[in-house]
């Protein structure tokens, strides 16, 4: 709650959302702060002053690296090949 008061000043955030951020961030301050900073940016862009589980559509930083994208390669035709 204290970190949210610092990083989300002027924005109300409900306790279930804070609990979810703490849970997904495994209670680590750095992960929680990164999530709160992202929430502040999201709320500014969305023009909202109150965040809850239902209204917040942004991400939560978990520390898990993004998954690698798998691309399918198209067959390449060489010149003169049948």
């Amino acid at each position: 709650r204290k970190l949210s008061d610092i990083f989300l000043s002027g924005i109300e955030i409900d306790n279930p959302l804070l609990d979810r951020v703490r849970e997904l961030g495994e209670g680590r301050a750095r992960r929680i702060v990164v999530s709160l900073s992202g929430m502040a940016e999201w709320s500014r862009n969305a023009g909202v002053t109150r965040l809850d589980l239902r209204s917040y559509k942004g991400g939560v930083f978990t520390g898990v690296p993004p998954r690698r994208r798998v691309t399918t390669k198209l067959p390449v035709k060489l010149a003169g090949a049948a």
Side-chain angles (χ1 to χ4, degrees), residues 71-79 81-82:
T71 58
T72 57
K73 293 186 177 187
L74 298 175
V76 178
K77 284 190 174 183
L78 299 175

Side-chain angles (χ1 to χ4, degrees), residues 8-14 39-40 42-52 55:
L8 289 171
S9 62
I11 300 169
E12 268 185 72
I13 182 168
D14 72 343
M39 294 167 94
W42 184 89
S43 63
R44 277 192 307 271
N45 291 338
V48 297
T49 58
R50 182 166 180 10
L51 296 173
D52 56 32
S55 67

Side-chain angles (χ1 to χ4, degrees), residues 1 3 5 17-18 22-23 36-37 39-40 42 44 50 52 60 65 74-75:
R1 175 58 63 186
L3 288 173
D5 292 342
L17 180 55
L18 276 179
R22 181 186 47 77
E23 191 178 289
L36 292 174
S37 295
M39 294 167 94
W42 184 89
R44 277 192 307 271
R50 182 166 180 10
D52 56 32
V60 174
L74 298 175

Side-chain angles (χ1 to χ4, degrees), residues 52-68:
D52 56 32
L53 281 170
R54 196 203 267 160
S55 67
Y56 180 61
K57 304 295 182 210
V60 174
F61 184 71
T62 62
V64 176
R67 295 184 67 175
R68 185 178 148 227

Side-chain angles (χ1 to χ4, degrees), residues 28-46:
R28 297 176 190 217
R30 180 180 165 275
R31 292 178 182 178
I32 294 169
V33 167
V34 170
S35 291
L36 292 174
S37 295
M39 294 167 94
E41 182 178 350
W42 184 89
S43 63
R44 277 192 307 271
N45 291 338

